[in-house]
Amino acid sequence: MSKTDIPAPMALAPGDRDTPFWEACARSEFLLHRCDICGRHDWPASCCVTHGAAPMRWVPASGMGVVDTYTAVHHAYDPAMADEVPYTVAVIILDEGPFFHTRLLDVAPEAVRRGLRVELTWRDTPQFGRMPYFRPRTANGPEAMAPKG
Amino acid sequence: MRGKFAIVGMGVTQQGRRLGVSDLELRRQALELALEDASLPRDAVDGYIHTWMTGEDHRYLGLSPTFSWGLWAGGATAGASLAVAAGALATGQAEVIACVVGLAPTSGYVPGRAPGVTTFGNYSHGYAARYGLIGAAAAHALHARWHMDHYDTTSEQLGAVAVTQRDYALTRPGTQGYGKPITLEDHQNSRMIADPLRRLDVCQDTDGGVALLVTTAERAREMGVTPIYIQGFGSGQNIRHWHNRDIFGYHDDIQPAMSRALKLAGKSIADMDFACLYDPFTISVIMQLEAYGFCKPGHGGPFVAEGAMRLDGAIPTNMGGGQLSGFYAAGFTPFVEAVRQLRGDGGANQVASATTALVSSHGLNAGIQNSWSHQTTILGLEP
């Protein structure tokens, strides 16, 4: 039997509610979705569990967080990532509260632990443009965070 | 509801990789085996619940039910189908309901998809796939790493689950692990998939069909079979813990599922003679044993390493080899073993004097990785 791998549905659909987030990434701005009423932050674009979808707005975020869990992926599920394995995928708890799935850079997989303090860094990727990644915190702080002015 | 509904027939086809038989044909075979098991004629089936969403079974299976519902809660569908069946029986919608699965992914038959095409199983949303978080193993690895960092659970303890279940499968014909022993060293040497999950921490897809026939207790007693009573069930959805922002410490939201199931059954966890747990990965067994209260939170690793899952252990678990070493039938695997055990058909792996079983189901995320459904089902020999 011939086996044809097709890519995971990673592309953004036209009109997707997360479009403002990814457009901001292209400007090196890291946004979260926040409820205007209670101030609860979410990601991806969400419906506040208390106040619904109407009061949700995109707001600048700190780009700081800690690792809640992680895995070093050794199996090359995506042939496009075959030369990157093993790579570390982590779920960050951002300082604003929400989880953020990401790739960890500048740290060996065996050195990652829950509670590792991390900050945002940008990477330009051929497939998805500028993407938020995370790395252990540096003296410089997260890269080019909130929009100026 | 306890004592009102019972499983009176079970059909289990050959289970294995690349059987070369279509999913539809596997469902027909499973149904016929179940009818034979229950000594029921084909036209006795007046309700049909099908694990998945296609609706073309009845011509092929020769059935004329009053209802035919596709139900999909991923690996939790088996448990969910019994709950739906109980509701339909309770309200007089049918008398004999067939809950059926038949899948043949390793032979290229996947409903809704062209033959031979596979996908990554992306577990949508959160854009995690853009970072390389792809497939069920990586998603469950997030739970495993959380548990290992938080409780010092070890890879060897994960391996104890794999070895214990393989030891069970060794003596169980028809399982993937039949006659193929593994050691803890084999586990430690097996290829890393998504750290900490190695090849032997991961179950493989298999082809196969299972049918369970469910009816009322009155009808069951007239039939002269050994009814396996559905004593209780309950549901939980882990999206609650996504919203609560503590999801990775919870391998499913088991608390509401188990409390409802136990209440309906009028039982406590201490009454369970054995457990058949949904086990796509070794960590799943450890975290469920903890969540169900068979051991303290965080003690699941030492608990399984000390032999708790074995026949002479604290809670014999997955005596058919489970999904890891038995077969993967979209959540029907643990029900098959529970029914076999309660009927006394466990062979070399029979739990002595078993009358009450805990069965778990797990699957289908709610829009983010790790937000799976969970079903608790309690089956028993007593009404």
Coordinates of all heavy atoms in Angstrom, one line a residue, chain B residues 61 66 152 298 327 331 366:
Chain B
L61 N -24.9 -5.0 6.6 CA -25.0 -5.9 7.7 C -26.4 -6.6 7.8 O -26.6 -7.5 8.6 CB -24.8 -5.1 9.0 CG -23.4 -5.0 9.5 CD1 -22.5 -4.3 8.5 CD2 -23.3 -4.2 10.9
T66 N -34.6 0.5 14.5 CA -35.4 1.7 14.5 C -34.5 2.9 14.6 O -35.0 4.0 14.2 CB -36.4 1.7 15.6 OG1 -35.7 1.5 16.9 CG2 -37.4 0.5 15.5
D152 N 8.9 12.8 40.3 CA 10.1 12.0 40.1 C 9.8 10.6 39.6 O 10.5 9.6 39.9 CB 10.9 11.9 41.4 CG 11.4 13.2 41.9 OD1 11.8 14.0 41.0 OD2 11.5 13.5 43.1
G298 N 0.9 10.8 42.7 CA 2.4 10.8 42.6 C 3.0 9.4 42.9 O 4.2 9.2 42.6
F327 N -4.5 -5.1 21.6 CA -4.9 -4.6 20.3 C -5.6 -3.3 20.6 O -6.0 -3.0 21.7 CB -5.9 -5.6 19.6 CG -7.1 -6.0 20.5 CD1 -8.3 -5.2 20.4 CD2 -7.0 -7.1 21.3 CE1 -9.4 -5.6 21.2 CE2 -8.1 -7.4 22.1 CZ -9.3 -6.7 22.0
G331 N -11.1 2.0 21.9 CA -11.7 2.1 23.2 C -12.5 0.9 23.7 O -12.9 0.8 24.8
A366 N -11.1 18.5 23.0 CA -12.1 19.5 22.9 C -11.6 20.8 22.3 O -12.1 21.9 22.7 CB -12.7 19.8 24.3

